[in-house]
Amino acid sequence: MSFKYTPNTLKKLEQLYEEARYIIRYEKGTFNSGYCILEDKRVVVINKFLAIEGRINALIEILPSIAVKEEELSGEMQKWYEQLKEQPSFNKDSGTQTEMDI
């Protein structure tokens, strides 16, 4: 599946995270990868200085490392999530930063 780096794609990804019960926050910080995940609080923090393309890439890179219960997703989101999982980059091991450097 190929997708465009548009505000609509970003909004769709944000909706997917919302349905997976994750909160996305855009804030400044020292993230090695442009984001971090607070697993216990189900919060994803994305560097607010990233452009739309960077935000979309970060959210897609995070997806394999979070627990998404597909049965809780709406029908449209389930289909879209399945398409995302078929991406070659979906299962690659990424250097996920899981806690903020404070």
Side-chain angles (χ1 to χ4, degrees):
M1 173 187 101
S2 147
F3 56 86
K4 298 179 182 177
Y5 291 101
T6 63
N8 189 38
T9 303
L10 179 60
K11 189 172 185 174
K12 204 168 180 180
L13 274 169
E14 290 171 341
Q15 182 183 349
L16 176 66
Y17 276 81
E18 183 180 321
E19 289 188 21
R21 298 186 180 167
Y22 272 80
I23 297 169
I24 298 174
R25 293 180 9 199
Y26 296 101
E27 299 189 11
K28 65 180 182 177
T30 55
F31 313 115
N32 294 335
S33 56
Y35 63 86
C36 84
I37 304 168
L38 304 171
E39 294 286 341
D40 295 337
K41 296 183 180 183
R42 297 180 72 91
V43 174
V44 173
V45 183
I46 306 286
N47 187 336
K48 74 177 186 176
F49 298 112
L50 290 176
I52 288 177
E53 183 176 343
R55 291 177 181 198
I56 290 171
N57 285 335
L59 289 171
I60 289 173
E61 191 175 320
I62 293 167
L63 266 179
S65 64
I66 65 171
V68 176
K69 294 181 181 175
E70 293 184 46
E71 62 274 2
E72 292 180 358
L73 299 177
S74 65
E76 180 185 341
M77 281 296 128
Q78 282 182 352
K79 270 173 73 173
W80 204 60
Y81 182 65
E82 286 295 324
Q83 291 174 340
L84 286 173
K85 286 190 337 187
E86 292 172 4
Q87 291 289 317
S89 61
F90 190 83
N91 290 318
K92 74 176 184 179
D93 185 27
S94 63
T96 303
Q97 182 176 349
T98 55
E99 299 205 7
M100 264 194 218
D101 298 327
I102 299 179

